[in-house]
């Protein structure tokens, strides 16, 4: 029995050491091989809505015209977990798309997606001429560009013209606070009926990655350690949020927030007229058009800190990313699809017009075929603004955001009162975690 | 006496082989891998030996210790409450003269509700703004707490959810209670023992094995408490499934963060699988200790019985 256990233990260890799934792919073949042989490639993406799927089919039809020998077999509603599992199992799709940029560092570091730089070089594609500079920050990590951007999301301020009572959208945080107080409607007992703006970091799109841009706050130092405690911008943002929260009363504001309907439905508080101003992505335009077409609203860039007026017009940028997983079987064809979906002006314009995301290349942005209206234009301008920023790819991206958000909730609720100590603790947690996962 | 041949020696092993293979494949191998990974930086794809780094991180990881405290709170408060409540309900129902069937069904049904659906329902019912519970309390001027949004109340909210779905325990307690010989109660009544004394001296000793079973399974289940805490925190925090909207596990203020939840997040969200293996080993050790303690109790009882 003992011997048997020992044998199984040894076998187990052998399995353990042997099971680090897959191997690094060698990159593009020197020639584009037998390019015209018919080939079928698998493409996984996360789109689910009928309108999105239709737009996708139209775009893929355009691809088929250009590359008649490549057949694309698309699978919808895929999440990151499934991509990871498939790569681990050694049976990945040829092309995969992810909605979140949070995993990009992981994708690059562990080689889950292949480095696309050799393809870009071979194809003489200059990313700097094609994409705004900020996109590089969320599509590459430590010199590896393992995903390409396909459509982008930018964030701005939506305002309900009726509830604004003739006021112009605010340009600074002080103006936003003043206007919030002016536009808020309350019952005799203090119950909030309409809020000018909900400052809570727990409000739908008020996560720190979006609000931090208003004060130009930085997340990390170049070495990956936390800059949150040492950047005074975070402190000023959190104080601003707390002051405004206290003006409402935390309990009253929470009760109001918890009365909101689903963010992704027509019950969204902005579409319901429960808040006069809200931070949201460009996609809300399409949702308003579909669900509440009568809503009279406008859009503007996010307000900025009072002493940073020159940055007005900048916003947060992120987007959908697409790449070739490790172990993909038809890499050449896969690259053609990735290239088409991320650099072809017609493809991006078709997609953008249909699902109202920001096209992610500068030429597509300037395309005369791009449908524009003043409310959508705001977001295109944010995308083109050189001061717009993103959350740079970080190996612990989700953990870092969660740690800051936890601190924000504790602070806004008044359960923690020493802001310096709170942010120092955030730094400590982020830095320790970095040592754990990256050895920094 | 026949000579002991090699074949003779191997035969028992061959008979045992289905179990041996299963045991090696599903217990020994995973356990050894877990120990091995716990000394590695393992992001699910690449391995890098890091010595005791994962263990050192555990010692200073506040969230891990918070999750241990929360899980122990649930073991110490929720498990006994469930046993007491389940026993109480079973007592009442076994004594009902009429309508026992209906009440039995009513109390049992919640335990058939899927965990996620039940938790969603509770968070909705207890919503401080739109929930029916607040609406009813409001008519008599009482303000309900923000059950799943206030760290002082969130674990009690989960406890109420656990009490609501006590039907599984109630059923086995009812069976045990109905199994207590009637003549014992009659004899005790003749000796002048009242209801409470009858309960302490007759009912409890007879149903003790069932209580032990409920305690052991309750503790083991609670050490693995995951789904309800995850769903309640997610729904109550209002986190949405959009890029940039980060779900904070254990919302609010890590008050519902359980140990398995933290383990899962380390391994599958933060890709710190080496560290997650350390947490898994801790959970394994703690579960073993609890199980041994409870098994000793069982054995003690068995001897007493004999």
């Amino acid at each position: 029995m003992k011997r048997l256990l020992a044998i199984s233990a040894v076998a187990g260890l052998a399995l353990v050491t042997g099971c680090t799934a897959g191997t690094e792919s060698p990159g593009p073949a020197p020639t584009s091989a037998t390019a015209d042989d018919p080939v079928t490639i698998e493409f996984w993406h996360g789109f689910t809505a009928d309108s999105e799927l239709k737009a996708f089919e139209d775009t893929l039809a355009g691809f088929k015209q250009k590359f008649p020998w490549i057949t694309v077999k698309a699978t919808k509603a895929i999440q990151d977990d499934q991509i990871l599992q498939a790569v681990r199992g050694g049976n990945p799709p040829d092309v995969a798309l992810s909605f979140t940029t949070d995993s990009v560092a992981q994708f690059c570091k562990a080689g889950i997606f292949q480095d696309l730089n050799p393809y870009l070089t071979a194809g003489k594609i200059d990313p700097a001429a094609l994409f705004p500079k900020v996109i590089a920050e969320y599509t590459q990590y430590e010199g590896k560009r393992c995903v390409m951007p396909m459509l982008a999301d930018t964030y701005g301020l939506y305002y309900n013209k009726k509830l604004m009572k003739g006021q112009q959208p605010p340009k600074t945080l002080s103006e936003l606070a003043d206007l919030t107080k002016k536009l808020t409607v309350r019952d005799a007992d203090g119950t909030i009926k309409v809020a000018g703006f909900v400052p809570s970091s727990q409000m739908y799109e008020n996560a720190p990655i979006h609000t931090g841009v208003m004060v130009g706050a930085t997340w990390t130092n170049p070495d990956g350690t936390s800059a949150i405690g040492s950047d005074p911008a975070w402190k000023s943002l959190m104080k601003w949020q707390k002051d405004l929260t206290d003006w409402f009363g935390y309990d009253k504001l929470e009760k109001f927030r918890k009365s909101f309907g689903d963010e992704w439905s027509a019950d969204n508080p902005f579409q319901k007229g429960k808040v006069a101003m809200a931070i949201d992505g460009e996609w809300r335009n399409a949702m308003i058009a579909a669900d509440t077409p009568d809503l009279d609203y406008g859009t503007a860039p996010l307000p900025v800190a009072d002493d940073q007026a020159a940055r007005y017009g900048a916003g947060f940028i992120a987007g959908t990313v697409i790449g070739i997983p490790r172990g993909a079987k038809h890499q050449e064809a896969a690259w053609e699809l990735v290239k088409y979906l991320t650099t072809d002006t017609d493809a991006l314009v078709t997609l953008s017009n249909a699902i109202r995301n920001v096209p992610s290349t500068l030429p597509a942005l300037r395309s005369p075929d791009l449908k524009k209206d003043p409310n959508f234009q705001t977001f295109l301008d944010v995308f083109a603004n050189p001061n717009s920023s993103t959350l740079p790819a970080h190996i612990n991206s989700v953990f870092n955001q969660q740690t800051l958000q936890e601190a924000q909730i504790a602070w806004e609720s008044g359960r923690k009162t020493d802001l310096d100590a709170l942010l120092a603790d955030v730094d400590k947690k982020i830095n320790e975690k970095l040592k754990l996962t990256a050895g920094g | 006496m026949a000579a002991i041949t090699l074949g003779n020696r191997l035969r028992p092993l061959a008979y045992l082989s289905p179990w041996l293979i299963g045991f090696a494949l599903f217990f020994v191998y995973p356990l050894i891998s877990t120990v091995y990974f716990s000394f590695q930086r393992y992001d699910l794809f690449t391995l890098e030996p890091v010595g005791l780094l994962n263990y050192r991180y555990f010692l200073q990881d506040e969230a891990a210790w918070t999750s241990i405290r929360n899980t122990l709170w649930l073991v110490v408060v929720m498990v006994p409450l469930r046993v007491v409540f389940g026993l109480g309900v079973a007592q009442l129902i076994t004594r009902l003269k009429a309508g026992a069937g209906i009440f039995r069904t009513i109390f049992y049904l919640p335990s058939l509700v899927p965990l996620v659906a039940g938790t969603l329902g509770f968070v909705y019912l207890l919503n401080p703004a739109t929930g029916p519970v607040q609406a009813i309390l409001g008519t008599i001027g009482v303000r309900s707490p923000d059950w799943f949004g206030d760290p002082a109340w969130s674990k009690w909210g989960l406890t109420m959810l656990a009490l609501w779905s006590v039907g599984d325990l109630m059923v086995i307690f009812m069976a045990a209670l109905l199994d207590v010989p009637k003549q014992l109660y009659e004899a005790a009544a003749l000796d002048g023992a009242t209801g409470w004394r009858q309960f302490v001296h007759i009912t409890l000793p007879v149903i003790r094995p069932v209580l032990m079973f409920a305690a052991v399974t309750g503790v083991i289940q609670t050490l693995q408490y995951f789904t309800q805490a995850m769903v309640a925190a997610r729904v109550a925090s209002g986190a949405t499934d959009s890029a940039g909207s980060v779900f904070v596990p254990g919302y609010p203020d890590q008050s519902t963060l359980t140990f398995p939840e933290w383990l899962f997040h380390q391994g599958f969200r933060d890709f710190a699988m080496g560290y997650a293996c350390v947490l898994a080993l801790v959970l394994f050790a703690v579960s073993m200790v609890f199980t041994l303690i409870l098994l000793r109790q069982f054995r003690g009882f068995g001897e007493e019985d004999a």
Side-chain angles (χ1 to χ4, degrees), chain B residues 74 78 148 154-162 225 228-229 232 256:
Chain B
L74 293 173
M78 198 163 86
F148 291 100
S154 53
K155 279 193 281 285
W156 290 105
L158 292 175
T159 306
M160 292 207 311
L161 173 64
Y225 197 78
Q228 297 94 318
T256 61

Side-chain angles (χ1 to χ4, degrees), chain A residues 1 4-5 8-9 12-13 15-17 20 84 87-88 99 106 110 112 155 202 204-205 207 209 254-255 257-259 263-264 398-399 401-402 405-406 409-410 415 425 428-429 432-433 435-439, chain B residues 19-20 24 28-29 32-33 36-37 41-45 47 53-54 57 60 62 127-130 143 146 149 151 236-238 240 242-244 246-249 251-254 262 266 269-272 275:
Chain A
M1 174 70 186
L4 208 96
L5 274 179
S8 66
L13 268 177
L15 270 170
V16 170
T17 44
T20 47
L84 289 178
V87 175
R88 277 175 62 77
F99 281 143
Q106 188 64 30
I112 299 164
Y155 292 77
Q202 299 176 77
Y204 294 128
E205 296 295 333
I209 55 169
E254 271 297 277
K255 204 174 155 190
R257 185 177 73 86
K258 292 193 172 177
S259 72
E263 179 183 5
W264 304 108
V398 180
F399 178 83
Q401 295 174 58
Q402 176 210 319
Q405 192 149 10
E406 256 169 11
I409 296 171
R415 293 193 286 264
D425 191 47
K428 184 175 156 266
K429 285 178 182 161
E432 289 291 339
K433 184 77 172 200
K435 274 187 217 157
L436 180 78
T437 53
Chain B
W19 180 84
L20 282 177
V28 178
Y29 163 57
I32 291 172
S33 333
Y36 174 75
F37 287 144
R41 177 178 290 135
Y42 180 36
D43 60 9
L44 292 172
F45 286 87
L47 285 167
L53 178 74
N54 292 324
Y57 185 79
Q60 62 83 47
E62 287 167 38
N127 183 312
T130 53
R143 188 152 174 223
D146 184 355
S237 70
T240 54
S242 61
V246 172
F247 165 55
V248 177
Y251 174 88
D253 290 6
Q254 298 187 337
W262 193 236
Q266 293 312 307
R269 190 202 63 185
D270 293 350
F271 302 113
Y275 178 51

Side-chain angles (χ1 to χ4, degrees), chain A residues 52-69:
Chain A
E52 294 170 341
L53 292 171
K54 168 82 174 53
F56 231 79
E57 274 168 28
D58 292 348
T59 316
L60 289 178
F63 178 72
K64 183 83 189 165
Q65 270 184 355
K66 274 195 163 178
F67 301 92
W69 64 92

